[in-house]
Amino acid sequence: MEVLKTRMALRKTGQYSGMLDCAKNILSKEGMAAFYKGYIPNMLGIIPYAGIDLAVYEVWSL
């Protein structure tokens, strides 16, 4: 979904008719691996955020 969101935000006017059209084009032109572009950097950003969020929640909920 992150790839679709980014592609839809940065598209040229009229490039895609919607999310499904965007997904079809990515799949047909670039293959399934294109949906996982940027997965590792995204996880490297989310994991510390989630850990800090959980730790703070646990401290404040006591």
Side-chain angles (χ1 to χ4, degrees):
M1 290 301 284
E2 197 69 29
V3 171
L4 289 174
K5 181 181 83 169
T6 303
R7 297 273 179 108
M8 291 294 290
L10 300 175
R11 69 184 172 163
K12 295 177 184 135
T13 304
Q15 185 175 2
Y16 305 117
S17 62
M19 290 288 280
L20 190 58
D21 181 49
C22 181
K24 285 182 198 176
N25 281 330
I26 293 171
L27 186 60
S28 67
K29 292 178 183 175
E30 301 176 48
M32 193 66 178
F35 290 104
Y36 295 95
K37 284 182 179 176
Y39 182 75
I40 292 174
N42 193 23
M43 285 295 112
L44 291 175
I46 290 174
I47 291 170
Y49 168 78
I52 292 168
D53 190 44
L54 181 63
V56 169
Y57 177 77
E58 289 295 324
V59 169
W60 288 103
S61 66
L62 295 177

PDB file of all heavy atoms in Angstrom, residues 2 12 17 34 47 49 51-52 55:
ATOM      1  N   GLU A   2       2.019   1.197   0.618  1.00  0.00           N
ATOM      2  CA  GLU A   2       2.893   2.369   0.663  1.00  0.00           C
ATOM      3  C   GLU A   2       3.360   2.755  -0.738  1.00  0.00           C
ATOM      4  O   GLU A   2       3.404   3.929  -1.080  1.00  0.00           O
ATOM      5  CB  GLU A   2       4.087   2.076   1.568  1.00  0.00           C
ATOM      6  CG  GLU A   2       4.838   3.291   2.026  1.00  0.00           C
ATOM      7  CD  GLU A   2       4.050   4.150   2.988  1.00  0.00           C
ATOM      8  OE1 GLU A   2       3.198   3.631   3.724  1.00  0.00           O
ATOM      9  OE2 GLU A   2       4.283   5.360   2.988  1.00  0.00           O
ATOM     10  N   LYS A  12       1.548  11.809 -12.725  1.00  0.00           N
ATOM     11  CA  LYS A  12       1.177  12.890 -13.628  1.00  0.00           C
ATOM     12  C   LYS A  12      -0.341  12.874 -13.755  1.00  0.00           C
ATOM     13  O   LYS A  12      -0.976  11.833 -13.578  1.00  0.00           O
ATOM     14  CB  LYS A  12       1.812  12.670 -14.992  1.00  0.00           C
ATOM     15  CG  LYS A  12       3.320  12.731 -14.969  1.00  0.00           C
ATOM     16  CD  LYS A  12       3.900  12.427 -16.328  1.00  0.00           C
ATOM     17  CE  LYS A  12       5.403  12.408 -16.233  1.00  0.00           C
ATOM     18  NZ  LYS A  12       5.997  11.284 -16.911  1.00  0.00           N
ATOM     19  N   SER A  17      -6.134   5.846 -13.390  1.00  0.00           N
ATOM     20  CA  SER A  17      -7.540   6.185 -13.168  1.00  0.00           C
ATOM     21  C   SER A  17      -7.973   5.894 -11.727  1.00  0.00           C
ATOM     22  O   SER A  17      -9.060   6.270 -11.329  1.00  0.00           O
ATOM     23  CB  SER A  17      -8.429   5.426 -14.147  1.00  0.00           C
ATOM     24  OG  SER A  17      -8.311   4.031 -13.949  1.00  0.00           O
ATOM     25  N   ALA A  34       8.099  -5.007  -7.200  1.00  0.00           N
ATOM     26  CA  ALA A  34       7.964  -3.551  -7.129  1.00  0.00           C
ATOM     27  C   ALA A  34       7.124  -3.116  -5.935  1.00  0.00           C
ATOM     28  O   ALA A  34       7.304  -2.009  -5.418  1.00  0.00           O
ATOM     29  CB  ALA A  34       7.341  -3.022  -8.420  1.00  0.00           C
ATOM     30  N   ILE A  47      10.096   0.296  13.380  1.00  0.00           N
ATOM     31  CA  ILE A  47      10.449  -0.515  14.546  1.00  0.00           C
ATOM     32  C   ILE A  47      10.864   0.340  15.750  1.00  0.00           C
ATOM     33  O   ILE A  47      10.327   0.154  16.837  1.00  0.00           O
ATOM     34  CB  ILE A  47      11.501  -1.589  14.184  1.00  0.00           C
ATOM     35  CG1 ILE A  47      10.856  -2.635  13.277  1.00  0.00           C
ATOM     36  CG2 ILE A  47      12.091  -2.230  15.431  1.00  0.00           C
ATOM     37  CD1 ILE A  47      11.810  -3.618  12.661  1.00  0.00           C
ATOM     38  N   TYR A  49      10.108   3.471  16.307  1.00  0.00           N
ATOM     39  CA  TYR A  49       8.919   4.236  16.678  1.00  0.00           C
ATOM     40  C   TYR A  49       7.967   3.374  17.512  1.00  0.00           C
ATOM     41  O   TYR A  49       7.477   3.802  18.545  1.00  0.00           O
ATOM     42  CB  TYR A  49       8.206   4.759  15.431  1.00  0.00           C
ATOM     43  CG  TYR A  49       6.831   5.298  15.728  1.00  0.00           C
ATOM     44  CD1 TYR A  49       6.667   6.548  16.294  1.00  0.00           C
ATOM     45  CD2 TYR A  49       5.696   4.535  15.472  1.00  0.00           C
ATOM     46  CE1 TYR A  49       5.405   7.036  16.593  1.00  0.00           C
ATOM     47  CE2 TYR A  49       4.434   5.001  15.765  1.00  0.00           C
ATOM     48  CZ  TYR A  49       4.294   6.264  16.322  1.00  0.00           C
ATOM     49  OH  TYR A  49       3.045   6.731  16.616  1.00  0.00           O
ATOM     50  N   GLY A  51       8.650   0.656  19.201  1.00  0.00           N
ATOM     51  CA  GLY A  51       9.264   0.310  20.479  1.00  0.00           C
ATOM     52  C   GLY A  51       9.173   1.447  21.487  1.00  0.00           C
ATOM     53  O   GLY A  51       8.824   1.240  22.650  1.00  0.00           O
ATOM     54  N   ILE A  52       9.469   2.654  21.041  1.00  0.00           N
ATOM     55  CA  ILE A  52       9.389   3.820  21.928  1.00  0.00           C
ATOM     56  C   ILE A  52       7.941   4.071  22.337  1.00  0.00           C
ATOM     57  O   ILE A  52       7.649   4.347  23.503  1.00  0.00           O
ATOM     58  CB  ILE A  52       9.998   5.060  21.245  1.00  0.00           C
ATOM     59  CG1 ILE A  52      11.506   4.869  21.101  1.00  0.00           C
ATOM     60  CG2 ILE A  52       9.683   6.330  22.014  1.00  0.00           C
ATOM     61  CD1 ILE A  52      12.185   5.870  20.192  1.00  0.00           C
ATOM     62  N   ALA A  55       6.973   1.502  24.931  1.00  0.00           N
ATOM     63  CA  ALA A  55       7.641   1.762  26.206  1.00  0.00           C
ATOM     64  C   ALA A  55       7.012   2.944  26.932  1.00  0.00           C
ATOM     65  O   ALA A  55       6.762   2.885  28.142  1.00  0.00           O
ATOM     66  CB  ALA A  55       9.129   2.006  25.970  1.00  0.00           C
TER      67      ALA A  55
END
